[in-house]
Amino acid sequence: MRFLEMLADRILAEHPENLHRVEVIFPAVRPVTPFLRTLATRMSGPGLAPKCWALEDWLFADSGRQRASRMQLQCLLYEAYARAARGEGQTPDAPEHFLSWANGLLEDLDQVDEYEVDASRIFRYLTQQKALEIWSPDGGSPSVAESEYLRFYGLLEAVYLEMHQRLEEQGLAYPGWALRYWTPPHRYREGRVDRVYVAGMEQSSPGLIRVLTALQEQVPVVWICEADAHYLNNPVHLAGHWLRNLPAAPPFGLEVLTGERLRQAQVRIALQKCSGNNEQILAGLDQIRSWLDRGIPPEQIGWILTDPVALWPLLLHWNLPGVSLHLGMPLDLRWTGAYGWMQAGLDLHQALCFKGQVGTEEWEAWLKHPVWAGNLTPWSPSRPGLRYRSQLQSPQTTLGSSPPCPVLAPALDAASVFQHLAHLALILGQATPETEHLPSGRNEMECQALRSLHQLVLQMAPLVPPSEHPWQVWGKMWQQHLGSAALNPKANPGPGIRVLSLELSQALDFEYLVLGGANEGTLPKAGRYFGMLSFDLRRSFGLPEPWASEAIQSYRFYRLLQHSQEVLLTCNLSGADGKISEKSRFVQQLEWEYGVPIQEQTRQLAPISFKPLPEEIVIHKTPEVLERIRAVLSEDRLSPSNLSLLWWCPLKFWFGFVRKLKEPEPVTEELNPAQIGELLHKALELAYADAVGEWISP
C-alpha cells in the first residue's frame, strides 16, 4: 500500500466524522491533490475534506508577512549591502558583480534563521577565519586587496541586520525568517483543530522542531514518514541519515512506517543502458506504452527525470495519443522557440543601441521566425546588408486578439527593451494553439511560462538597482529567473502520467516508475555550495553541509522504489568527450547490498549513413559572379586586409568580402580589440586630417 493511501486510511479511521477539523502539512504542494483524490475514493459518502497545506504556505498563511520572491530578495539584499558598506566607508560592488554572489548569501541567511544560529557569532567567527587565511608569520601588513577582502566579510553581520529591517518594513519574509518567528495562530488556540498531521517529511531543522513543539502545546501533532527498514537501521547508509537524526523522543508523536519490499525482492527492476539521452526517452516511452497496453491506469505511472534538460526532448518525443502528460517540474524557457526569438530580438536591440545598425539577414530572420508571424511593414535597406537605427521604423504586428504592437522597443535603453520584450512575451503567452499565427507545437505550459515571464519583468522594473552597466544587470536577472518562469507547483487535475524531478517527488510514489538519468554524476548530483560560510563553520553550528544533499537524494530514490511494482531505470553508456559513463552508485548498491536482481539490457542507437561531402568547394568565375564582385567593389574599397585575404584564401574572400557572411559578434559594453583598433585608426585620421601632404616632425 502506498504512503498516501496509508495516510488516508489512518486519518479516516481516527476522524470518521470530523475530517474538516484535521490539518495535514506536506513538504510541498504536489501531494495535496493526489491525497485528496485518494481520500475521496475511500470515503463512504460526501463530507468536508481536511485542510491540506504545503509547509511554506502553512508558515506564511498566518504570519502577517508576504513571501518575497527571489528577485525581491536580491534587490532588498543589495540595498542592505550597499547601506552597510557605505556606513563603513566602503564602496559597494556594482550590481552586476553583486548578482554573482547574492544567491549564495541569501541561502546562508535563510539557513541561519531556519537553524536558529546566532548570526552575530557565526559571522564574527567567519571574519576571524578569513583573517587567519591571510595572516603572515613575518608580521607584515595586509595588502590593499587583502584589507578589502577582510572588510567585505566584516560587513556580513551588518548586512544580515539591515536585511531583516527592510523585510520588517515591507512586511516580507523568506522561509527561514518565517520559521524563526512563527507563533501558533488563533485557530489552534481556540480549539478549532483537533489534530495536525505532518506527512512525508524526511528531514528536520531546529526551527521546524521548535515550531512543532510550540504547536503541540495547542493541538496534538503527529509526524508520519516512511523508510525502508534496511537503510533506516544501517548507521552508515546515507538514505536514513536525516530520519536517524530526528529527536528520539520529541514532544509530538513521531511515527516511521517501515517495510522491507526491496530486500524481499518484491520490486521488479530493469536497467536499460542507452547510447544517449534520446535513446533513454525512447526506452521510457516503449516501457510506458507496454504498461498502458496491459491496462495500467496512467495515474499509477510516474516518470522521474534526474536531469531537467531532458524535459524538452521528452515533450518533443511524446507520441502517446489520448494520454495526458502532467508536468510537476519547471519548464525552462531557454529551450523554447519563443525564448530563442526573444533572445534574437534582444541581440538586435543591443546592436542598434551600441553599433547603430543591424544586419539585414538577422533582421529579416527575426521578423520571419515561425514563432511570430504577422503582417509586417516592409523596410527597404539604405545600404545592402545593413539597416541603421536612424532610419528605423518599427513594424506593427497583430497576433491573435491582441491590438497592434510595435516589434521594436520605443527606446533603446535596457529597461525599455526588456520591458518591451516582456510585453511581446505576454502577447505570445495569451495566444492559443488554435491561433493561426502559432505553430501547433505550442503548449499551455509554454504559454504559462511566457505570461509568468511578463509578470516577472513588471515586478523587476522598479526594483533593479541603478548601475553604470544596466544591460548586464537586466541580462543577469533575466537569465537567472528563466529556469523557473514556468514552474507549475500545483498538481494537475484528472488522471495522467506525472513527470517530476527527484527533488520534487516528496511524499509521492508510483506503482509503475520510469527513472531516467541513473548515471553517476546525475544520480546523485554533487552537492554544490556557493555561500560565504566555510564548511567547518557550517559543521560547528549544525548547518547542513554539501554532502547532505546526497543523503536527501538517496532517501528519495529508495523511497520511490519501496512502493513500486515495476521500475525501469535508464542510463547512458557514454558521457561527454567519449568517456565511459558509470551507472549510479545507488543502482550498484541495490545489487550489492540489497541483493535485488536487476535485469540489464543495452539499447544501441541505430547506425546512420551520411552522404559524403564534396572534396572541395569551387566557385566558377561566371559572368554573374564577376558582376557581383564589381557591384561590391563599387561600394566598398578593397582594403589591404581584404587583398591579403584574397591572396591567402579566395573562398574566404568570396564568403567574407563579397557575400558579407560573418560569424555573429557578441554585443557587450566593453570594446573588443577590433573596435579599439577601428577607433584608433579613426582618431589618427581625424587628428592628422589638417596635415595631409605636409611633413610631420617627431
Side-chain angles (χ1 to χ4, degrees):
M1 185 178 295
R2 296 188 295 173
F3 176 69
L4 295 181
E5 294 173 346
M6 292 188 291
L7 181 64
D9 290 343
R10 165 76 176 271
I11 293 177
L12 278 173
E14 295 181 353
H15 309 274
E17 304 295 336
N18 55 352
L19 286 176
H20 62 285
R21 295 176 60 86
V22 173
E23 291 191 3
V24 186
I25 303 174
F26 291 102
V29 75
R30 288 166 187 82
V32 170
T33 299
F35 168 72
L36 292 176
R37 189 180 299 123
T38 301
L39 192 65
T41 60
R42 283 164 155 69
M43 293 175 62
S44 57
L48 296 176
K51 180 65 176 177
C52 297
W53 303 88
L55 176 61
E56 288 189 9
D57 294 337
W58 179 70
L59 288 173
F60 281 97
D62 300 286
S63 66
R65 294 180 176 88
Q66 182 182 357
R67 178 170 17 201
S69 68
R70 174 66 58 172
M71 184 177 55
Q72 288 176 301
L73 291 174
Q74 286 177 337
C75 297
L76 288 174
L77 183 63
Y78 183 74
E79 293 176 7
Y81 159 66
R83 181 179 177 87
R86 294 188 183 104
E88 296 294 328
Q90 300 182 34
T91 302
D93 274 0
E96 60 271 19
H97 299 146
F98 161 83
L99 288 171
S100 62
W101 52 263
N103 285 328
L105 182 56
L106 281 174
E107 181 182 352
D108 285 340
L109 301 185
D110 191 17
Q111 291 186 345
V112 163
D113 283 329
E114 180 183 356
Y115 284 78
E116 302 189 330
V117 173
D118 185 338
S120 176
R121 288 182 61 216
I122 194 169
F123 289 128
R124 184 172 68 251
Y125 288 158
L126 177 63
T127 305
Q128 295 171 356
Q129 189 178 59
K130 297 301 178 182
L132 284 174
E133 288 181 6
I134 65 173
W135 173 72
S136 174
D138 60 9
S141 301
S143 65
V144 175
E146 290 172 337
S147 298
E148 289 295 326
Y149 179 76
L150 284 180
R151 280 196 290 268
F152 171 79
Y153 282 98
L155 286 176
L156 293 184
E157 181 184 356
V159 171
Y160 172 83
L161 297 175
E162 283 282 349
M163 183 68 173
H164 275 218
Q165 181 179 346
R166 293 176 183 276
L167 291 171
E168 282 288 344
E169 291 172 352
Q170 300 190 26
L172 299 174
Y174 47 75
W177 169 262
L179 191 66
R180 189 163 195 165
Y181 295 98
W182 183 91
T183 56
H186 291 289
R187 65 179 181 276
Y188 300 121
R189 296 197 296 267
E190 295 171 358
R192 288 181 279 159
V193 178
D194 291 342
R195 182 167 296 181
V196 174
Y197 292 88
V198 180
M201 294 188 196
E202 77 274 10
Q203 62 186 111
S204 66
S205 64
L208 181 59
I209 297 298
R210 182 191 58 78
V211 163
L212 295 181
T213 302
L215 184 61
Q216 173 70 23
E217 298 175 359
Q218 309 292 331
V219 60
V221 179
V222 180
W223 183 330
I224 301 179
C225 54
E226 59 175 340
D228 182 84
H230 176 68
Y231 65 68
L232 180 63
N233 299 323
N234 187 338
V236 296
H237 202 302
L238 275 181
H241 167 77
W242 291 102
L243 292 177
R244 290 192 298 269
N245 281 275
L246 289 174
F252 47 85
L254 175 63
E255 299 181 18
V256 181
L257 309 177
T258 58
E260 291 189 328
R261 295 187 75 245
L262 288 175
R263 292 294 297 269
Q264 296 170 0
Q266 297 182 23
V267 184
R268 294 177 55 189
I269 301 177
L271 174 68
Q272 282 212 15
K273 299 179 178 179
C274 303
S275 54
N277 291 333
N278 284 337
E279 291 298 303
Q280 289 194 62
I281 292 170
L282 295 176
L285 287 172
D286 290 345
Q287 180 62 74
I288 289 178
R289 191 177 292 107
S290 68
W291 285 334
L292 295 174
D293 291 342
R294 286 162 44 189
I296 305 300
E299 60 268 22
Q300 295 183 8
I301 302 174
W303 197 329
I304 302 296
L305 299 176
T306 59
D307 189 351
V309 172
L311 180 57
W312 270 109
L314 170 58
L315 295 178
L316 294 175
H317 282 88
W318 188 257
N319 57 0
L320 301 177
V323 180
S324 58
L325 191 65
H326 297 330
L327 303 185
M329 58 189 297
L331 188 72
D332 196 326
L333 268 177
R334 285 168 288 193
W335 291 88
T336 65
Y339 168 72
W341 182 80
M342 286 190 292
Q343 188 63 38
L346 177 60
D347 294 340
L348 290 177
H349 280 89
Q350 287 184 310
L352 289 171
C353 177
F354 293 109
K355 294 184 174 181
Q357 63 188 32
V358 294
T360 302
E361 293 184 5
E362 291 85 352
W363 168 262
E364 293 179 351
W366 186 55
L367 296 184
K368 295 176 181 178
H369 195 285
V371 166
W372 186 282
N375 297 320
L376 296 170
T377 308
W379 181 30
S380 7
S382 58
R383 176 181 175 188
L386 292 174
R387 298 179 184 272
Y388 293 94
R389 179 176 59 189
S390 59
Q391 302 165 344
L392 182 64
Q393 292 180 353
S394 180
Q396 301 282 323
T397 184
T398 303
L399 187 63
S401 59
S402 302
C405 173
V407 177
L408 291 180
L412 291 177
D413 60 281
S416 299
V417 169
F418 278 94
Q419 290 181 69
H420 184 73
L421 289 177
H423 181 61
L424 298 183
L426 177 64
I427 296 176
L428 289 175
Q430 288 174 338
T432 62
E434 291 75 23
T435 304
E436 60 179 357
H437 302 301
L438 285 178
S440 59
R442 181 72 53 79
N443 56 52
E444 173 56 28
M445 285 296 295
E446 183 174 352
C447 290
Q448 176 189 336
L450 292 167
R451 295 192 295 269
S452 300
L453 184 61
H454 173 256
Q455 292 296 324
L456 187 76
V457 173
L458 288 185
Q459 187 185 40
M460 185 195 311
L463 300 175
V464 173
S467 169
E468 295 181 1
H469 305 288
W471 288 92
Q472 291 186 21
V473 178
W474 276 87
K476 282 190 175 183
M477 297 189 76
W478 171 278
Q479 289 289 340
Q480 282 185 6
H481 298 281
L482 282 175
S484 58
L487 180 60
N488 179 23
K490 296 184 179 179
N492 301 79
I497 296 174
R498 196 179 304 272
V499 179
L500 294 163
S501 64
L502 189 64
E503 294 81 6
L504 302 176
S505 65
Q506 292 170 286
L508 291 172
D509 40 43
F510 305 93
E511 295 187 31
Y512 299 86
L513 180 69
V514 175
L515 192 147
N519 281 101
E520 190 65 25
T522 56
L523 183 70
K525 290 181 182 177
R528 303 180 68 185
Y529 173 65
F530 301 99
M532 305 291 179
L533 302 173
S534 61
F535 292 165
D536 53 348
L537 273 180
R538 297 182 67 85
R539 186 180 305 114
S540 299
F541 282 86
L543 295 175
E545 301 173 60
W547 67 265
S549 67
E550 293 189 14
I552 297 173
Q553 295 175 70
S554 178
Y555 171 81
R556 291 172 183 169
F557 173 77
Y558 290 109
R559 196 199 66 80
L560 281 169
L561 269 56
Q562 286 166 213
H563 297 293
S564 298
Q565 295 186 29
E566 296 182 28
V567 177
L568 172 67
L569 307 174
T570 63
C571 66
N572 281 339
L573 285 168
S574 59
D577 302 324
K579 297 178 181 178
I580 299 298
S581 188
E582 293 288 337
K583 61 185 177 183
S584 168
R585 70 188 77 167
F586 296 164
V587 180
Q588 295 178 341
Q589 199 168 13
L590 283 173
E591 299 173 310
W592 299 342
E593 187 173 339
Y594 288 80
V596 176
I598 298 179
Q599 179 184 0
E600 292 193 9
Q601 297 177 349
T602 301
R603 185 186 181 101
Q604 294 285 1
L605 183 66
I608 302 175
S609 59
F610 295 96
K611 182 179 179 180
L613 295 173
E615 294 183 0
E616 60 179 351
I617 301 175
V618 178
I619 299 174
H620 298 283
K621 291 185 179 180
T622 62
E624 292 80 7
V625 168
L626 292 174
E627 182 60 32
R628 186 159 191 169
I629 294 176
R630 292 190 191 97
V632 173
L633 289 175
S634 66
E635 297 183 0
D636 292 346
R637 289 179 298 175
L638 188 63
S639 67
S641 299
N642 288 325
L643 193 59
S644 300
L645 190 63
L646 173 63
W647 179 262
W648 179 57
C649 180
L651 277 178
K652 284 195 172 184
F653 173 81
W654 168 258
F655 288 125
F657 180 72
V658 181
R659 295 299 303 276
K660 308 296 183 185
L661 300 180
K662 297 181 180 179
E663 295 182 4
E665 183 178 345
V667 179
T668 64
E669 295 180 354
E670 290 89 19
L671 295 174
N672 60 39
Q675 292 169 329
I676 294 175
E678 291 176 4
L679 287 174
L680 176 61
H681 278 276
K682 189 64 177 177
L684 292 173
E685 178 186 345
L686 295 175
Y688 291 101
D690 297 335
V692 174
E694 299 180 4
W695 290 100
I696 301 175
S697 67

